[in-house]
Amino acid sequence: MNSFWNSIRWRIFCYYTLLTGVAIILLAGAFYFTEKANRERLEVTRLQATGVKLLPMIFPPAGMPSARISEPPVAQGSARMPLERRWAETRDLMDRDRIFYLAFSSSDQLLQKSAGAPASLEDPGFSRDKRQMERLEHPDYMVAVIIAPRGKRIVVGRSREVIDAEIGHYLRNILVLAMTVFVITTAFGYIIITRGLRPIESISATAQKIADGDLGGRIQIREQSSELGGLGSVLNQTFDRLEQLLKQQVQFTADASHDLRTPIAAILADCQFSLKKPRTTERYLETIEVCHESAQHMRMLVDQLGLLARFDADTSELTSETVELSEEIKTICHVLQPVADDMGIYLGSDLSEAHCKGDRLRLRQVWFNLLNNALCYTEQGGHVKVRTGRENGTVWLEVADNGIGIPPEVQPHVFDRFYRVDESRSVKTGGTGLGLAICKTIVEAHGGNISVQSEVGKGSCFRVELPHQADL
């Protein structure tokens, strides 16, 4: 029972069936009672019409004979033939429909009655003092009274059992029709529900494949504008992102392992060489220096990996203070100016006032990485220029150089972790391939954006945009 009720299809189908059944019952009930009331009104009208037909036959005008229920058939050609024929036809209709009548004189004397007329209606007081064509209330019979001239009257009626039996037959027809409609609508409802849930089943099957390890599976979307189409699009984007993250994780692990293996191998190789036999003091010092440099490289790599891990886990705490970019850049340029001079590179600036709010130390790390990268990838005699400004509610910083540039096919990957445009140059500079990834992580944590425009042989321009302080 629990597994049955846990199915969305059967739950929707049960609710649909219940609501459909209740709606059909209410409609059938309303139709039945409305039709019953109409039938009763029509029945009274028919009784009144029958009484009007009987009136000239039972109480004819002066000079015309009246019809008697006990009179024998009249021979053809008689003057009374039309009256008797009408009487015979009326009597046949009354017998067929089980209608009875009673005729009273003006002195309340019962003049005649039809077969089947109940004795309870022979009391003249029941129909006395009634207006023309008025309906009489009786628990067992539906009765109408027709007033004739000079106070005579005819009471026409029909048993309620007969009427109820006819209405009951009509009710059975309504129930059969209602059941037929219910079965048809239920069948169509099940088909519609099944077709409507088919995209959900497809989504579930695709999600199960992805959970089983098939990361390339995607939901087939036919109707982009529908609710399920929108859900499928969002899930496909989520699956794309998940696949990308898993691939990045695998690549990240491999790259981190590679970057850690190199200094460890250097330490082990140099230590093994020094331990094979006694060496000179100078050689031991070289071994210690190699171990120290390798350890420094590993410490820097571990620190950067820890920083990225904290941002990935959303646990890195950022301070919030007003930062003036132009002042920050002046300080960093002052620190890097001796490096630029040694490399024979011109380091210039064009700084405008630009305030933002954020973590001063983390943002300083971004500016330092961008400027240091620009110097590392610019040849001797080249130039690096940094600019700041403010426009459209944002503050921006650009670091431009005329260095080696970045090929177009690799520009989308420069902010990936452990990605190096020039592997040999990164080895010489001691880079880990995490600098730009850290810059991107820090900038996005501040609600900003970082981008690059570059052309091979002409240089690169990195641009950082951050919300202006007034907009925070």
Side-chain angles (χ1 to χ4, degrees):
M1 181 64 182
N2 289 334
S3 60
F4 170 81
W5 193 246
N6 288 335
S7 171
I8 296 178
R9 175 188 286 107
W10 288 112
R11 273 188 285 175
I12 295 176
F13 180 70
C14 289
Y15 293 143
Y16 169 82
T17 303
L18 178 62
L19 291 176
T20 302
V22 171
I24 291 176
I25 290 173
L26 292 177
L27 289 175
F31 190 71
Y32 167 73
F33 287 110
T34 301
E35 188 64 21
K36 181 180 179 181
N38 291 334
R39 284 291 185 95
E40 291 182 351
R41 285 194 294 269
L42 290 174
E43 190 67 31
V44 172
T45 302
R46 187 168 68 154
L47 292 177
Q48 292 172 346
T50 302
V52 172
K53 285 184 179 181
L54 292 175
L55 190 62
M57 291 184 279
I58 297 177
F59 300 114
M64 291 185 62
S66 62
R68 292 290 185 269
I69 195 168
S70 59
E71 290 180 351
V74 179
Q76 189 171 357
S78 170
R80 298 175 62 186
M81 180 64 189
L83 179 62
E84 294 301 328
R85 180 177 295 174
R86 290 198 303 271
W87 168 254
E89 292 175 355
T90 304
R91 184 181 60 188
D92 291 341
L93 291 174
M94 293 173 63
D95 291 342
R96 185 194 65 186
D97 296 334
R98 300 170 68 177
I99 298 175
F100 59 85
Y101 77 94
L102 299 95
F104 294 91
S105 66
S106 58
S107 59
D108 294 337
Q109 180 183 359
L110 179 62
L111 300 178
Q112 57 176 293
K113 67 175 183 176
S114 63
S120 60
L121 295 180
E122 295 181 7
D123 180 12
F126 179 75
S127 59
R128 186 187 300 123
D129 301 330
K130 296 297 179 182
R131 293 186 297 273
Q132 176 72 16
M133 307 288 286
E134 188 167 352
R135 173 181 174 179
L136 303 179
E137 297 297 332
H138 193 280
D140 300 324
Y141 303 96
M142 186 171 292
V143 182
V145 60
I146 294 86
I147 307 299
R150 296 185 296 275
K152 299 175 183 179
R153 61 187 181 278
I154 298 176
V155 178
V156 184
R158 197 176 183 213
S159 174
R160 290 188 180 273
E161 291 183 0
V162 176
I163 299 173
D164 292 341
E166 293 177 353
I167 296 177
H169 178 73
Y170 180 73
L171 175 61
R172 286 191 295 272
N173 293 337
I174 291 179
L175 292 178
V176 171
L177 178 61
M179 288 299 299
T180 303
V181 173
F182 177 75
V183 171
I184 294 175
T185 55
T186 301
F188 275 104
Y190 180 81
I191 295 173
I192 293 172
I193 292 171
T194 300
R195 290 178 62 87
L197 293 178
R198 193 170 297 166
I200 298 180
E201 294 176 349
S202 175
I203 293 174
S204 177
T206 303
Q208 185 61 48
K209 289 181 180 179
I210 293 175
D212 293 337
D214 183 11
L215 298 180
R218 294 295 180 269
I219 300 169
Q220 300 299 323
I221 302 172
R222 296 181 180 179
E223 298 180 3
Q224 294 283 352
S225 59
S226 67
E227 292 80 356
L228 289 178
L231 174 62
S233 298
V234 173
L235 288 177
N236 280 340
Q237 294 174 7
T238 303
F239 295 151
D240 290 338
R241 180 62 175 163
L242 177 62
E243 183 180 14
Q244 181 183 2
L245 289 176
L246 289 176
K247 289 181 178 179
Q248 288 179 352
Q249 183 180 11
V250 173
Q251 186 65 37
F252 177 81
T253 304
D255 292 338
S257 175
H258 173 76
D259 275 67
L260 288 173
R261 189 184 300 116
T262 301
I264 291 175
I267 293 173
L268 291 176
D270 217 84
C271 288
Q272 288 174 357
F273 178 81
S274 298
L275 291 174
K276 282 184 179 180
K277 60 181 181 179
R279 307 290 180 181
T280 62
T281 302
E282 289 78 9
R283 186 67 187 85
Y284 284 131
L285 289 176
E286 290 178 4
T287 300
I288 294 173
E289 184 176 354
V290 169
C291 292
H292 180 264
E293 291 178 354
S294 299
Q296 287 283 71
H297 180 78
M298 286 191 293
R299 185 180 69 175
M300 179 176 64
L301 180 61
V302 170
D303 289 344
Q304 291 177 339
L305 289 175
L307 175 63
L308 289 173
R310 287 195 298 274
F311 275 104
D312 287 344
D314 199 23
T315 58
S316 179
E317 295 183 359
L318 297 174
T319 61
S320 181
E321 57 181 312
T322 301
V323 179
E324 170 52 53
L325 295 189
S326 60
E327 296 298 327
E328 292 293 312
I329 299 303
K330 287 179 183 178
T331 302
I332 295 175
C333 287
H334 180 73
V335 172
L336 291 178
Q337 188 63 55
V339 178
D341 293 340
D342 290 342
M343 299 174 67
I345 299 173
Y346 170 74
L347 178 59
S349 61
D350 180 10
L351 306 177
S352 300
E353 183 178 350
H355 294 84
C356 67
K357 207 164 189 178
D359 191 317
R360 184 185 300 275
L361 294 179
R362 295 300 184 197
L363 290 176
R364 186 175 293 179
Q365 187 176 1
V366 174
W367 318 141
F368 184 86
N369 281 344
L370 293 178
L371 283 169
N372 187 57
N373 275 1
L375 293 174
C376 291
Y377 289 93
T378 301
E379 302 292 344
Q380 185 177 5
H383 66 267
V384 174
K385 189 172 184 180
V386 56
R387 300 189 306 143
T388 60
R390 184 183 70 181
E391 62 180 10
N392 298 328
T394 62
V395 296
W396 54 267
L397 175 142
E398 289 183 347
V399 178
D401 63 68
N402 63 344
I404 60 176
I406 304 173
E409 64 273 11
V410 301
Q411 289 182 22
H413 305 288
V414 296
F415 297 105
D416 295 345
R417 299 173 185 184
F418 292 106
Y419 188 85
R420 299 179 177 90
V421 178
D422 188 342
E423 187 73 27
S424 61
R425 186 178 293 269
S426 296
V427 172
K428 292 178 181 178
T429 59
T432 62
L434 294 175
L436 289 178
I438 291 175
C439 290
K440 182 175 185 291
T441 302
I442 293 175
V443 170
E444 290 182 348
H446 284 78
N449 178 59
I450 184 170
S451 59
V452 61
Q453 291 182 347
S454 181
E455 188 174 349
V456 176
K458 294 186 178 181
S460 305
C461 178
F462 286 84
R463 179 182 176 92
V464 176
E465 295 180 350
L466 294 170
H468 185 252
Q469 181 182 2
D471 299 328
L472 296 175

